[in-house]
Amino acid sequence: MAGIRRLVLDVLKPHEPSNLLLAKILSELEFVDGVNLSLYEIDQNTENVKITIVGDDMDFDEIKKTIESLGGVIHSVDEVVAGKRIVETVLTEQDR
Amino acid sequence: MAGIRRLVLDVLKPHEPSNLLLAKILSELEFVDGVNLSLYEIDQNTENVKITIVGDDMDFDEIKKTIESLGGVIHSVDEVVAGKRIVETVLTEQDR
Amino acid sequence: MAGIRRLVLDVLKPHEPSNLLLAKILSELEFVDGVNLSLYEIDQNTENVKITIVGDDMDFDEIKKTIESLGGVIHSVDEVVAGKRIVETVLTEQDR
Amino acid sequence: MAGIRRLVLDVLKPHEPSNLLLAKILSELEFVDGVNLSLYEIDQNTENVKITIVGDDMDFDEIKKTIESLGGVIHSVDEVVAGKRIVETVLTEQDR
Amino acid sequence: MAGIRRLVLDVLKPHEPSNLLLAKILSELEFVDGVNLSLYEIDQNTENVKITIVGDDMDFDEIKKTIESLGGVIHSVDEVVAGKRIVETVLTEQDR
Amino acid sequence: MAGIRRLVLDVLKPHEPSNLLLAKILSELEFVDGVNLSLYEIDQNTENVKITIVGDDMDFDEIKKTIESLGGVIHSVDEVVAGKRIVETVLTEQDR
Amino acid sequence: MAGIRRLVLDVLKPHEPSNLLLAKILSELEFVDGVNLSLYEIDQNTENVKITIVGDDMDFDEIKKTIESLGGVIHSVDEVVAGKRIVETVLTEQDR
């Protein structure tokens, strides 16, 4: 296990194709182990979703292409985890 | 294990048939392992429930048909988890 | 293990018979593994309790009859868990 | 294991005999496994304590008699857990 | 294992002898397994510390004598745990 | 295992090269096991990221050189963990 | 394992020598297993750090001498843990 291991993406997308389809297609990428797609805002024509993708040596360009091919746009990459071991962010005195 | 693994649904339904029946019938779908149905608002004729369904390669259309056959309407799909592994959403610095 | 696995009930009852008796009698129903009864409001003649019941293939009608035979009334069924596996509710972006 | 398994009691008592003695004597009842006694209010002559008692098939009347023999009064039974299995209360959408 | 198993004490003491010495001496009492001493208020001549002591069949009088011999005064015994098993306090609906 | 084991860095960087590249290159340093890079502020030309790096006997100068070679500046080192064992910060009475 | 097992220190120090060096040198004391150094305030010439040190039968005087030899001053000892077993502070009703 190495390379990119987890990504958290903020994505804007149209209502169709559905979030079910987007999550399923992302989960079928060869280097992906699992996908969590959470809806956090709905407007008339679009919705904002937070997508967490876990895998091994993940190819960001392919993830991006997959999302765009279904009409989505990545607004920001909120977290990147890389390496032999999954590292969680640590709460420090600066965060209190 | 693959495909859709967990769904969180926001559902509006009449008081009858009961939430007990709805939870039980959903839990008996072949691809479902377990169901949690939580009541979060009651009005005179309707109630809003949050339904969490866990399973393997779940068929959303059959879930939707089941809910609708008991008088319910899916307002939104709040979370979709898909893939070989159940991925939880991650709190990032953007969420603080 | 299947059917109804956990119920959370909001119950209004007179002070007597006691909560000890009510919890004990519910816990002795054949299909029940355990009961948690928590007091959350006391008035002059009545009290409100939150009852969590865990078991296998539980019979709601028998639970209801038992509570009513001791003078209690079920105000609402706040949570139903059903299926082969106990599923907890998931906090989504909608809950933040 | 069956019957009453855990009790949470709200008790008013004089300063003497001490909380140490009360906790120790309760813990020596045959059917008790352990006792947690927490002080939450002190007045000039009395104090309020929250007592959590864990055991098997516990006899509430004997617990009550023991507390009263040391000058205490049970104000309320805040939680009763009964059955083969210790069940914790569950946070539902109603509690948010 | 039985008798008093854990104590939480609110202690007022002079700055000297130090908290290091007090914690160490308490930890060397025969019936004590471990001590946590946390400082929560400092004044010009005194300080308030919260002392958590874990052990087996602990002798409160010896603990008290030890603290007093080092110039400290026990203000209150905030928690007593007794019995074969360490019981934690339980959050009930009354605490919400 | 010894020396520097975990670092939390507050870093200011240009948008390019991307956070994906920065996390990946850091994770490929010989003494690094894993990297978590979280975005917490975006401006027009720059962004602030919190980088948590876990490894064994890590060489800070090499980490710093790597970050600077990609255009980043370390604003502060918010946490340093060193030694045979990873020690978490402890919440004391002073933090309440 | 006995004696002082964990210390939480509030330390004021100049910016140089660095926190990396201070953490590393403390972690190399014979009786120390690990060190966590967290920055919580920076001024023009000084910074305040919270240092958590875990070990066996630790010698406070040597720790103090080490910190002072690098220009630091211990403002307070916020927590001391001593004995055969590491005891965490317990939240009691007094803390709610």
Side-chain angles (χ1 to χ4, degrees), chain F:
Chain F
M1 299 283 226
I4 303 299
R5 304 286 303 278
R6 187 170 76 198
L7 288 169
V8 180
L9 310 174
D10 182 358
V11 171
L12 177 75
K13 65 178 283 292
H15 298 317
E16 293 299 328
S18 75
N19 291 329
L20 281 130
L21 193 68
L22 176 51
K24 212 177 156 188
I25 287 178
L26 285 171
S27 77
E28 286 164 355
L29 291 173
E30 202 184 352
F31 48 76
V32 171
D33 286 340
V35 173
N36 179 307
L37 185 156
S38 295
L39 179 69
Y40 74 86
E41 213 180 306
I42 311 189
D43 287 314
Q44 200 177 341
N45 300 311
T46 58
E47 53 200 59
N48 293 275
V49 293
K50 178 182 172 182
I51 305 183
T52 306
I53 311 181
V54 172
D56 183 27
D57 205 3
M58 299 199 291
D59 178 341
F60 179 69
D61 288 335
E62 205 168 327
I63 289 171
K64 194 173 169 227
K65 229 174 0 184
T66 305
I67 289 171
E68 289 175 354
S69 73
L70 294 167
V73 179
I74 297 176
H75 269 202
S76 61
V77 178
D78 291 346
E79 196 193 70
V80 183
V81 177
K84 287 190 287 287
R85 193 177 133 185
I86 296 231
V87 172
E88 300 297 335
T89 195
V90 172
L91 273 181
T92 69
E93 298 297 316
Q94 300 297 307
D95 302 305
R96 296 222 173 105

Side-chain angles (χ1 to χ4, degrees), chain C:
Chain C
M1 299 283 225
I4 303 298
R5 303 288 303 279
R6 186 168 78 198
L7 287 169
V8 180
L9 310 174
D10 183 357
V11 171
L12 177 76
K13 64 177 284 293
H15 298 318
E16 292 299 328
S18 76
N19 290 330
L20 281 130
L21 194 68
L22 175 51
K24 212 177 156 187
I25 287 178
L26 284 172
S27 77
E28 287 164 355
L29 291 174
E30 204 184 350
F31 48 76
V32 171
D33 286 340
V35 174
N36 180 307
L37 185 155
S38 294
L39 180 69
Y40 74 85
E41 212 180 308
I42 312 188
D43 287 314
Q44 201 177 339
N45 300 311
T46 56
E47 53 201 58
N48 293 275
V49 294
K50 179 182 172 181
I51 305 182
T52 306
I53 311 179
V54 172
D56 183 27
D57 204 3
M58 299 199 292
D59 178 340
F60 179 68
D61 289 334
E62 204 168 328
I63 289 171
K64 194 174 168 225
K65 227 170 8 181
T66 304
I67 290 171
E68 289 175 355
S69 73
L70 294 167
V73 179
I74 297 175
H75 269 202
S76 60
V77 179
D78 291 346
E79 195 193 70
V80 183
V81 177
K84 288 190 287 286
R85 193 176 135 187
I86 296 230
V87 171
E88 301 297 336
T89 194
V90 172
L91 274 180
T92 68
E93 298 298 314
Q94 299 297 306
D95 302 306
R96 299 228 169 99

Side-chain angles (χ1 to χ4, degrees), chain G residues 11-15 19 39 41-43 45-49:
Chain G
V11 171
L12 178 76
K13 63 177 285 292
H15 298 317
N19 290 330
L39 180 69
E41 212 179 308
I42 311 188
D43 286 315
N45 300 311
T46 58
E47 53 200 59
N48 293 275
V49 293

Side-chain angles (χ1 to χ4, degrees), chain A:
Chain A
M1 299 283 225
I4 304 298
R5 303 287 303 278
R6 187 170 75 198
L7 288 169
V8 181
L9 310 174
D10 183 358
V11 171
L12 178 75
K13 64 179 282 293
H15 299 317
E16 292 299 329
S18 76
N19 291 330
L20 281 131
L21 193 69
L22 175 51
K24 213 177 156 188
I25 287 178
L26 285 171
S27 78
E28 286 164 355
L29 291 173
E30 203 183 353
F31 48 76
V32 171
D33 285 340
V35 174
N36 179 308
L37 185 156
S38 294
L39 179 69
Y40 74 87
E41 213 180 306
I42 311 189
D43 287 313
Q44 200 176 341
N45 300 311
T46 57
E47 53 201 59
N48 292 275
V49 294
K50 179 181 172 182
I51 305 182
T52 306
I53 311 181
V54 172
D56 182 27
D57 205 2
M58 298 199 291
D59 178 340
F60 178 68
D61 288 335
E62 204 168 328
I63 289 171
K64 192 171 170 229
K65 229 173 2 183
T66 305
I67 290 170
E68 289 175 355
S69 74
L70 293 167
V73 179
I74 297 176
H75 269 202
S76 60
V77 178
D78 292 345
E79 196 193 69
V80 183
V81 177
K84 287 190 287 287
R85 194 176 133 186
I86 296 232
V87 171
E88 300 297 335
T89 194
V90 172
L91 274 179
T92 69
E93 298 297 316
Q94 300 297 308
D95 302 305
R96 297 227 169 101

